[in-house]
Structures are given as structure tokens and as C-alpha cells.
Amino acid sequence: MGRVLGGLRCIKYMLLAFNLLFWLAGSAVIAFGLWLRFGGIVKDLSSEGKTPEYFYMGLYVLVGAGALMMTVGFFGCCGAVRESQCLLGSFFTCLLVIFAAEVTTGVFAFIGKGMAIREVQTMYEEAYNGYLKNKMNKTLITFHSSFLCCGKESPDQVQSTCPRELLEHKNCIDEIENVISAKLQLIGIVGIGIAGVTIFGMIFSMVLCCVIRNSRDVI
């Protein structure tokens, strides 16, 4: 019986430590998602009427999963402290949902990045053609300042919209692909990484449930 209670205490503290780290990770995921959504390049693009919705889709899932992680981390601590099989079972179910959401985000980021890149490139093409028709169109300036590029094969037709800090010509179509690809790759890594961590939480919760059941049977 002493070994059972000792194992119960050990698993309980391990689950409490995991939930604390899980709560902090959820906070970090939310901050990361909001930074990508409302900071820098994406913020500038979304202020021009059209937005890269396909790119946003992955961010929304990531932020939602982060919020759920914080909530689940709190209730997971409650379940471990109270040694409640019901709460631990609910905790396992929520972790399973988070796992699915994070895997979906990661797969989307790696497989769907082509569509997201084409969406932003199409937005640039429309801004480029709009500027050629109407020199007062400021959308192209936003693209150039956000991606630090100018024009396509040649900047001659849009030279006046080029960023001053741009020392050499950079094709915006290529820069958009590079920047969006890098950001989506980062989202994918975060999503898959959190999914991997979630597996340990599911294992801990199930082991603790089994230990609690065995300890009650012994008693």
C-alpha cells in the first residue's frame, strides 16, 4: 500500500508541474498568435481592406488552442489535487481536443502554405495593377514597406513607392513567398511542438487515474 500511495503522490506532483508548464505554454501560444496577427506585416496588410484570410485561419486555431490550454491547465491542477477521476477524465478529453487542434494547425502550416502564399501574392498583384491605373493608390506602398521590396522583375514603373532603406532591388513576389513561408513554418513548428507536449499530459492523467483506482481498491 505504501508503494501505491508513494506512486500516487509522485504522479500527482508530476501532473501538477506539467499543468503549470502547460498553462505558461498556453500563455506563450496566445501571445505568439496575437503578435503574428496584429503585429508587423500582417497588421499592415489587414488595414487595407482585403486580408489574407487563409493565413489568418491557422492563427485563429493557434490562439484558440492557447486559450484552451490555459483553461485546461487550471482544471488539470484541480483534478490532480482533488484526486478526482472525473476531472482527470475530462482533462484527458480536453487534451485530446488540443492535440487535434495543434496537429491541424501544424499540418495546415506545412501543407497549406502554398495557398496562403498565392493569396498574398494575388493581393500584391491587384495593388500593383491598381497603382499603375491610379498613382494615388497607397496600398502598394504598404506592401513595399512591409516586405522591404519593390516591384516585380523591375522597379522602374513603381520606383516612387520603393522604401528608402531598400539598398538593392528585391522582387516582391519572391519576398512574399519567403516571408509568408517562414512565418507559416514557425506556426507549424509551434503547433507540432505543443501537440508533442500534450501527449505527455494525456499519459500522466491516465496513469494518475489508474493509480487512484488501484489505491482505492487496496484501501
Side-chain angles (χ1 to χ4, degrees):
M1 181 175 177
R3 291 183 179 179
V4 173
L5 293 177
L8 173 62
R9 190 175 296 109
C10 179
I11 296 296
K12 181 197 294 186
Y13 289 141
M14 288 176 66
L15 188 58
L16 285 171
F18 170 83
N19 278 293
L20 177 60
L21 293 175
F22 201 62
W23 188 89
L24 293 174
S27 304
V29 168
I30 291 176
F32 174 70
L34 292 177
W35 170 70
L36 284 179
R37 171 61 181 84
F38 296 105
I41 293 174
V42 178
K43 178 184 177 182
D44 292 336
L45 294 182
S46 63
S47 65
E48 296 295 333
K50 290 192 66 176
T51 56
E53 293 297 336
Y54 203 80
F55 180 74
Y56 286 170
M57 196 181 303
L59 294 182
Y60 293 148
V61 173
L62 192 67
V63 171
L68 187 58
M69 286 170 64
M70 292 184 66
T71 305
V72 168
F74 174 76
F75 286 108
C77 287
C78 294
V81 171
R82 297 182 60 182
E83 299 180 10
S84 169
Q85 289 180 290
C86 180
L87 285 176
L88 289 172
S90 300
F91 175 69
F92 177 88
T93 302
C94 290
L95 285 182
L96 192 60
V97 172
I98 293 173
F99 176 81
E102 295 294 353
V103 169
T104 300
T105 301
V107 171
F108 160 81
F110 288 115
I111 296 179
K113 67 179 180 180
M115 187 175 293
I117 290 170
R118 285 192 298 273
E119 183 180 26
V120 180
Q121 287 176 336
T122 299
M123 290 172 59
Y124 177 78
E125 293 279 4
E126 292 175 355
Y128 185 91
N129 295 329
Y131 178 81
L132 295 181
K133 295 176 182 177
N134 178 14
K135 300 297 182 181
M136 298 301 293
N137 191 325
K138 303 297 183 183
T139 307
L140 191 65
I141 298 175
T142 301
F143 269 99
H144 288 169
S145 61
S146 298
F147 289 96
L148 287 179
C149 59
C150 188
K152 293 186 280 188
E153 289 78 10
S154 171
D156 295 341
Q157 291 183 299
V158 293
Q159 189 68 52
S160 60
T161 65
C162 296
R164 294 180 180 178
E165 60 269 30
L166 187 64
L167 301 179
E168 59 181 10
H169 171 62
K170 289 184 179 180
N171 188 320
C172 281
I173 299 298
D174 295 336
E175 284 301 303
I176 288 172
E177 181 176 357
N178 294 336
V179 172
I180 298 298
S181 178
K183 288 187 177 296
L184 284 174
Q185 186 174 7
L186 191 57
I187 292 173
I189 291 172
V190 171
I192 297 299
I194 295 298
V197 172
T198 303
I199 293 175
F200 289 100
M202 290 190 287
I203 293 173
F204 287 150
S205 63
M206 285 297 97
V207 170
L208 184 56
C209 269
C210 292
V211 173
I212 290 173
R213 186 183 299 111
N214 291 338
S215 66
R216 289 174 180 174
D217 291 341
V218 171
I219 294 174

